[in-house]
Amino acid sequence: MNFSQYKSEINNEGFAVIDAIYSQDEIDRIIKIIDSAHSDSATFRRSKDLFAIRQFLKVVPNVTELVFNQKLKDIVNTVFGEDYFPIKSIYFDKPGNSNWFVAYHQDLTISVNQKAEIENYGPWTVKQNQFAVQPPVEVLENIFTIRIHLDDTDENNGALKVIPKSHLKKIYRPETIDWNTETEATCNVPKGGVMIMKPLLLHSSARTVNNSNRRVIHIEFSNLQLPTQIKWAEKQTIN
């Protein structure tokens, strides 16, 4: 893998796609574990348009060793840094008949263990007993997100659309996008590949039109220590 190329793409464009991180056997085993997970937890959300598992690595721990295969660990250690660790994980299953779409946005919050009064941290939200807060922009700029694709994903089944370089503009409100100067890219990712992105990259997801599933494992990474009043809600050590 050309780690320096991927690192450059992420820093400059805000994202990169890397093929063939997982074999078909690894994907099958990951899906089998997910399908057998107990879905009575509050972190599970199911509707006709979406199935999601929040705190994915915590509530489905048997999947961790498969997810963090040697190729993924090499990416984290070399492209991000050896001191980076997971801070948030979600599993998304967008069914083949889904009409669910997401408009352009940045990922502006982090998951933490409790609410606290901290300068420059806010606003706060609570969703399914999970505290989230918008931190200073420097914290967001430090984060990398890996999206592991368990299905072939293109513009017909909800591949992310992004605005390259938008992560360099700090907080960028979608309603202020100037389409006379901005361009849009569709991030097609083959099964077993990953997309790496910066949370401040403006991104969206269209409806599915080809009856094909789009199953994705979303994991965020940081190497920062938070203020003493709060902790990362899902911090894990990966061997």
Side-chain angles (χ1 to χ4, degrees):
M1 284 188 281
N2 190 340
F3 292 116
S4 60
Q5 174 193 331
Y6 298 133
K7 193 168 188 174
S8 176
E9 288 180 14
I10 296 163
N11 288 336
N12 295 328
E13 301 297 320
F15 68 100
V17 173
I18 309 177
D19 297 348
I21 300 303
Y22 298 91
S23 67
Q24 182 63 57
D25 178 65
E26 287 174 317
I27 293 169
D28 290 343
R29 292 163 66 193
I30 289 170
I31 291 172
K32 184 176 180 180
I33 291 173
I34 294 170
D35 288 345
S36 64
H38 295 294
S39 60
D40 54 354
S41 168
T43 61
F44 283 68
R45 173 188 169 193
R46 191 185 298 273
S47 72
K48 64 182 180 64
D49 286 328
L50 174 69
F51 171 49
I53 307 174
R54 294 182 178 275
Q55 301 184 31
F56 174 66
L57 295 176
K58 289 181 72 173
V59 301
V60 191
N62 293 346
V63 82
T64 303
E65 186 174 351
L66 283 170
V67 167
F68 285 91
N69 66 9
Q70 192 58 52
K71 288 183 178 180
L72 195 77
K73 288 191 285 190
D74 288 345
I75 289 171
V76 173
N77 291 335
T78 307
V79 178
F80 306 169
E82 293 185 358
D83 57 345
Y84 269 74
F85 46 82
I87 57 169
K88 183 177 182 178
S89 59
I90 309 173
Y91 169 75
F92 295 105
D93 179 1
K94 193 174 189 179
N97 59 353
S98 175
N99 286 319
W100 174 63
F101 76 99
V102 179
Y104 267 107
H105 66 287
Q106 297 172 300
D107 293 337
L108 296 177
T109 64
I110 58 173
S111 296
V112 297
N113 65 323
Q114 63 184 6
K115 184 176 180 179
E117 293 298 323
I118 306 171
E119 186 177 3
N120 298 322
Y121 278 74
W124 290 79
T125 59
V126 181
K127 187 181 294 184
Q128 295 174 320
N129 298 318
Q130 175 67 73
F131 293 96
V133 64
Q134 182 170 330
V137 70
E138 294 78 17
V139 175
L140 298 171
E141 289 174 331
N142 170 266
I143 295 171
F144 292 89
T145 298
I146 292 183
R147 293 170 57 89
I148 300 164
H149 284 252
L150 306 180
D151 300 288
D152 290 324
T153 307
D154 59 25
E155 63 276 6
N156 295 310
N157 66 332
L160 285 193
K161 294 181 179 180
V162 303
I163 299 178
K165 302 183 186 298
S166 55
H167 68 301
L168 301 174
K169 299 182 179 181
K170 307 291 184 179
I171 306 300
Y172 189 170
R173 299 300 178 189
E175 61 271 17
T176 69
I177 297 172
D178 182 355
W179 289 110
N180 292 313
T181 59
E182 301 288 13
T183 59
E184 183 179 71
T186 301
C187 300
N188 295 345
V189 185
K191 178 192 295 186
V194 303
M195 176 191 175
I196 303 173
M197 61 179 282
K198 300 295 289 181
L200 291 178
L201 184 74
L202 279 164
H203 56 286
S204 68
S205 175
R207 293 177 173 88
T208 297
V209 297
N210 66 354
N211 292 319
S212 295
N213 280 41
R214 190 210 69 182
R215 291 170 290 186
V216 172
I217 299 169
H218 169 119
I219 308 175
E220 298 175 15
F221 297 81
S222 177
N223 66 348
L224 294 182
Q225 298 301 314
L226 294 174
T228 55
Q229 302 96 314
I230 56 175
K231 297 178 181 179
W232 298 109
E234 301 177 53
K235 180 179 177 179
Q236 292 201 18
T237 300
I238 302 301
N239 299 321

